[in-house]
């Protein structure tokens, strides 16, 4: 990996408020948990909770993608955040992102990662933060996960890479990490006989850029990155970019049983009305 790429990644992680460290244990590298970033959104919400972000591009920025990505306050070293949710967003238009808090393990075929490089998703394996938060990873010319099971610590997702997994400088080195709602959010390059652990406290960011889903992103290669800070219990955000600043309003999505798609803070709907029924009439009797 080049010095330029390392420097770019480090600047991006610093901008996200991340501090990283490595702990050596025997011949394996264990990714140690970093300290939470100041002001990070660190309250876990229930799995299955729905979220929605509405992005209004009220600016002259055009022909760009609206991007949602995540950065966790506690991450492994040598980690890379990915463009997670992506939609084309022209000037003076709106895009909507919906997802649910559903965790997963992911692996990709690309191990030489840097800004703009796609990790080349190979598999997404459903997981949770308690009974299915650990999984083995092996390689026989292609990567494959084993069965998920309970990890050492609830809330931490761990990938146990065996000695068949290619590492740094080896042909076939890939990447492994975690995802949400069916897509990768954060990965690290594979290393043999190593446990990659991710302490899950997701923080959501929005930005504009040219990136596609699965590409490595850093705040220094994106346009107007902004960290969302959902108040406790809120799961809706409407973010408007006016060309200079973001303005964000938060609220709560209605329960699933409520057919209204509007968040709880929106103005009251128009008064209900019923059109008058058509006048009753009977067809003329037929004659034979």
């Amino acid at each position: 990996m080049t010095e330029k790429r390392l420097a770019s990644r480090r600047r991006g992680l610093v901008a996200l408020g991340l501090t990283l460290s490595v702990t050596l244990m025997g011949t394996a590298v264990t990714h140690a948990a970093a300290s939470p970033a100041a002001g990070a959104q660190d309250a876990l919400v229930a799995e299955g909770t729905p979220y929605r972000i509405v992005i209004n591009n009220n600016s002259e920025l055009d022909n760009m993608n609206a991007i949602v990505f995540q950065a966790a306050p506690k991450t492994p070293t040598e980690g890379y955040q990915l463009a997670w949710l992506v939609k084309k967003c022209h000037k003076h238009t709106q895009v909507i992102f919906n997802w649910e808090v559903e965790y997963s393990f992911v692996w990709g075929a690309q191990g030489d990662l840097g800004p703009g490089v796609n990790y080349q998703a190979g598999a997404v394996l459903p997981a949770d933060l308690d009974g299915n938060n650990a999984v083995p990873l092996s390689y026989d010319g292609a990567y494959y996960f084993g069965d998920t099971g309970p990890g050492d610590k609830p809330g931490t997702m761990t990938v146990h890479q065996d000695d068949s997994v290619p590492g740094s400088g080896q042909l076939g080195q890939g990447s492994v990490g975690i995802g949400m709602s069916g897509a990768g959010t954060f990965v690290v390059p594979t290393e043999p006989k190593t446990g990659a652990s991710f302490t899950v406290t997701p923080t959501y960011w929005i930005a504009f850029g040219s990136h596609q889903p699965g590409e490595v992103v850093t705040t220094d290669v994106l346009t107007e990155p902004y960290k969302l800070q959902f108040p406790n219990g809120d799961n809706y955000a409407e973010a408007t970019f006016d060309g200079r600043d973001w303005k964000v309003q938060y609220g709560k999505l209605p329960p699933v049983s409520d057919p209204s798609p509007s968040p709880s803070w929106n103005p009251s709907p128009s008064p209900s009305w019923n059109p008058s029924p058509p006048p009753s009439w009977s067809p003329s009797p037929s004659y034979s």
Side-chain angles (χ1 to χ4, degrees), residues 7-274:
S8 176
R9 176 178 57 81
R10 286 168 182 156
R11 287 196 302 273
L13 294 177
V14 168
L16 291 169
L18 304 178
T19 56
L20 310 176
S21 61
V22 178
T23 301
L24 295 177
M25 299 182 63
T27 58
V29 179
T30 298
H31 301 299
S35 300
Q41 174 186 328
D42 57 7
L44 287 177
V45 298
E47 293 179 57
T49 300
Y51 274 79
R52 179 179 302 162
I53 296 174
V54 177
I55 294 180
N56 299 305
N57 180 12
N58 291 351
S59 76
E60 295 304 312
L61 278 178
D62 200 13
N63 201 33
M64 301 190 78
N65 292 333
I67 300 169
V68 183
F69 65 103
Q70 294 188 28
K74 297 181 181 180
T75 65
T77 188
E78 297 296 330
Y80 298 87
Q81 59 267 8
L82 305 173
W84 174 43
L85 307 175
V86 178
K87 287 185 178 181
K88 178 73 76 175
C89 186
H90 289 289
K91 61 182 180 181
H92 306 295
T93 63
Q94 178 189 87
V95 295
I96 299 175
F97 296 99
N98 292 287
W99 75 91
E100 292 186 0
V101 178
E102 297 175 337
Y103 296 103
S104 56
F105 291 109
V106 302
W107 66 256
Q110 178 60 264
D112 185 13
L113 299 171
V117 176
N118 199 300
Y119 88 111
Q120 297 180 17
V124 177
L125 181 66
D128 57 54
L129 299 184
D130 192 359
N132 294 286
N133 57 328
V135 67
L137 179 72
S138 301
Y139 183 82
D140 63 357
Y143 289 95
Y144 62 95
F145 285 127
D147 295 330
T148 58
D152 294 332
K153 182 181 178 181
T156 297
M157 300 175 68
T158 302
V159 181
H160 298 289
Q161 304 167 84
D162 65 25
D163 59 4
S164 69
V165 171
S168 179
Q170 295 180 301
L171 183 65
Q173 184 186 32
S175 52
V176 68
I178 59 175
M180 182 181 287
S181 199
T185 56
F186 205 89
V187 294
V188 297
T190 56
E191 289 293 342
K193 298 186 290 185
T194 302
S197 293
F198 304 79
T199 300
V200 180
T201 50
T203 300
Y204 303 104
W205 287 67
I206 55 177
F208 293 105
S210 60
H211 294 75
Q212 299 299 319
E215 290 184 4
V216 174
V217 295
T218 58
T219 56
D220 57 339
V221 296
L222 292 168
T223 301
E224 303 298 336
Y226 183 88
K227 182 173 70 174
L228 298 174
Q229 301 190 62
F230 287 93
N232 188 33
D234 285 359
N235 57 352
Y236 178 95
E238 182 162 348
T240 301
F241 182 66
D242 63 7
R244 293 188 303 175
D245 302 302
W246 286 98
K247 294 181 180 179
V248 183
Q249 190 168 11
Y250 298 91
K252 293 179 174 64
L253 285 172
V256 175
S257 57
D258 186 344
S260 170
S262 302
S264 59
W265 54 261
N266 267 5
S268 301
S270 302
S272 59
W273 61 277
N274 292 313

